[in-house]
Amino acid sequence: IRDSGYPKLDVRYDDRAQQLIVRQTQKQAGGQGLFRIRVPIRWGTETEATTYTIHQARHAFPMPRKGTFLRFGVGGDLLMQVTLHQSHGAWAEALAHDPDVTGRMDAAEALEGFGPASVAPLRKALENDPSWAVRRTAAEVLGRMDADFTAESLLVGVSDVDSRVRVAVFDGLARKKRRVVGAAVGKAAATDPHPSVRAAAARAVGKVKARGAYDALIAMLQVDSDQDVVRTGAIDGLRALGDVRACEAVMPFLNYRWGKGANHVIRQAALNCVLALKPDDKAVHAQVAPLVKDPYHRMRSWAAEACGKYGIREAIPDLIKVSKNDWNGGVKAQAKKALDRLGWKAPEKGKKKASK
């Protein structure tokens, strides 16, 4: 690939003609045209990969079928976007048997489009695949699928040996019904040994409104962890839960002194939480307005945006100063946008006051 952009390929196998049809579908404009790219392709698990050169708008490569599924781009390391059209059975076979980890990941993603028929092979991959990356992809796909019965399949991953997989599992369970997943997410939020998993489970506790969610999440605000991921997850969970009582407990995490100024992710979570729970509360506005002068430039930007969005007019004097003097261009821009949203207009230069 020597040109700007990247190739987009539409690939399908024509059984009747015994041909592999490959089309380049990227827009040919702005310096981007047709690409020349060499792609290793194989059938199933038994055949050796054969490299084909793609350089025309459309190719029809003679290719007898030699397996149950096609792997286009063996290795998964080519800079291209591929839409490969195969049957549900072919993708399920690829997920179960492709020796290429990226091939199995691609198969898991492709199975999403086939709906309920894909739950069984995805569950099997989540339970048994030797690669954490494939198990995580299967969990992500099951989490996105909008059906109650996918929750039961996702639950098999709550005790996966790899924390990255468990995070994906609880991210997915957060989209399911409380009656099915409430107990599992509550248990993980309280007991999982990995902080990132506890954080993901805490978010799920709030989103599904698990039994005892408020007390459990408030208790998690006392849990120390690396980079405060558990507290951050608890704050996100409280925001999703929607209980306004949480504001008082979350408010201290707005302060720059929290974590000695080293952890701003939790501060952003706290900002989003209190404003979501009490968007019009004067006490909340009084805490947010001074943040436009915060020592950390990103917090100044987040606070300026919030002041404009939530109509925090007491911040106008500081927003004017920030819009003129802040060293960070992004902060200046957010302050100007906030002033516009608040309806503030700069006085016209040189305009004389009208005489009485």
Side-chain angles (χ1 to χ4, degrees):
I1 299 175
R2 296 184 178 87
D3 298 319
S4 62
Y6 58 91
K8 296 182 179 180
L9 306 181
D10 184 89
V11 182
R12 65 179 67 244
Y13 184 72
D14 186 333
D15 268 300
R16 179 176 295 180
Q18 296 280 286
Q19 291 179 333
L20 181 68
I21 311 300
V22 182
R23 295 186 303 115
Q24 294 198 44
T25 61
Q26 70 277 359
K27 186 176 180 180
Q28 296 182 46
Q32 178 175 268
L34 294 174
F35 292 89
R36 175 180 290 270
I37 182 170
R38 291 167 56 81
V39 182
I41 304 169
R42 64 166 159 74
W43 279 106
T45 61
E46 303 298 327
T47 62
E48 293 291 327
T50 301
T51 299
Y52 290 78
T53 300
I54 314 297
H55 61 93
Q56 298 174 172
R58 183 183 185 275
H59 289 275
F61 297 112
M63 182 185 292
R65 176 181 284 275
K66 295 182 180 179
T68 54
F69 66 89
L70 183 72
R71 176 61 176 143
F72 187 90
V74 177
D77 57 351
L78 295 174
L79 300 176
M80 60 183 181
Q81 183 182 99
V82 178
T83 301
L84 174 59
H85 302 275
Q86 294 197 101
S87 69
H88 175 269
W91 284 120
E93 189 74 10
L95 178 58
H97 300 297
D98 196 323
D100 185 350
V101 168
T102 58
R104 300 200 301 279
M105 293 170 67
D106 287 347
E109 295 279 2
L111 283 168
E112 183 176 1
F114 293 91
S118 299
V119 173
L122 287 166
R123 173 175 178 155
K124 186 176 180 181
L126 177 58
E127 284 187 284
N128 301 319
D129 198 280
S131 168
W132 69 266
V134 177
R135 298 197 306 276
R136 181 177 69 178
T137 303
E140 290 170 345
V141 174
L142 286 168
R144 292 195 297 264
M145 295 176 72
D146 186 21
D148 286 350
F149 54 81
T150 60
E152 296 287 353
S153 296
L154 258 183
L155 285 169
V156 305
V158 298
S159 57
D160 194 280
V161 296
D162 195 291
S163 63
R164 293 166 290 190
V165 178
R166 298 200 304 279
V167 167
V169 166
F170 288 107
D171 284 345
L173 290 176
R175 305 183 183 101
K176 310 305 178 182
K177 297 292 179 63
R178 176 177 62 187
R179 59 180 172 79
V180 182
V181 307
V185 299
K187 180 181 178 181
T191 64
D192 195 280
H194 197 283
S196 293
V197 180
R198 291 190 71 182
R203 294 183 182 98
V205 164
K207 288 178 180 178
V208 305
K209 295 176 171 51
R211 189 182 302 276
Y214 179 78
D215 290 337
L217 293 170
I218 289 295
M220 292 179 73
L221 295 178
Q222 307 303 316
V223 177
D224 293 327
S225 61
D226 182 45
Q227 299 183 48
D228 264 332
V229 294
V230 173
R231 285 192 180 96
T232 303
I235 291 172
D236 290 339
L238 288 165
R239 176 187 177 189
L241 185 63
D243 192 322
V244 296
R245 293 177 297 166
C247 266
E248 185 177 352
V250 171
M251 206 81 78
F253 299 103
L254 289 173
N255 199 297
Y256 181 81
R257 292 192 299 272
W258 183 260
K260 299 180 180 179
N263 188 352
H264 304 289
V265 175
I266 191 172
R267 299 179 66 217
Q268 184 182 28
L271 179 68
N272 293 336
C273 180
V274 297
L275 286 169
L277 296 178
K278 291 187 175 182
D280 301 315
D281 188 83
K282 290 183 178 180
V284 170
H285 287 193
Q287 293 291 321
V288 173
L291 295 176
V292 300
K293 302 181 295 182
D294 194 82
Y296 184 51
H297 67 283
R298 294 194 189 280
M299 177 52 81
R300 297 198 299 276
S301 181
W302 300 328
E305 182 180 15
C307 288
K309 180 178 180 180
Y310 292 95
I312 305 177
R313 299 189 62 80
E314 53 264 52
I316 286 178
D318 288 326
L319 286 169
I320 294 170
K321 294 176 183 178
V322 169
S323 70
K324 295 178 179 178
N325 303 321
D326 201 281
W327 63 267
N328 184 279
V331 176
K332 279 185 175 181
Q334 284 293 357
K336 290 175 182 177
K337 288 180 183 178
L339 289 168
D340 287 342
R341 294 187 74 172
L342 292 168
W344 180 83
K345 300 292 184 183
E348 295 183 22
K349 293 182 178 180
K351 186 174 182 180
K352 295 181 180 179
K353 294 183 179 179
S355 58
K356 292 182 180 179

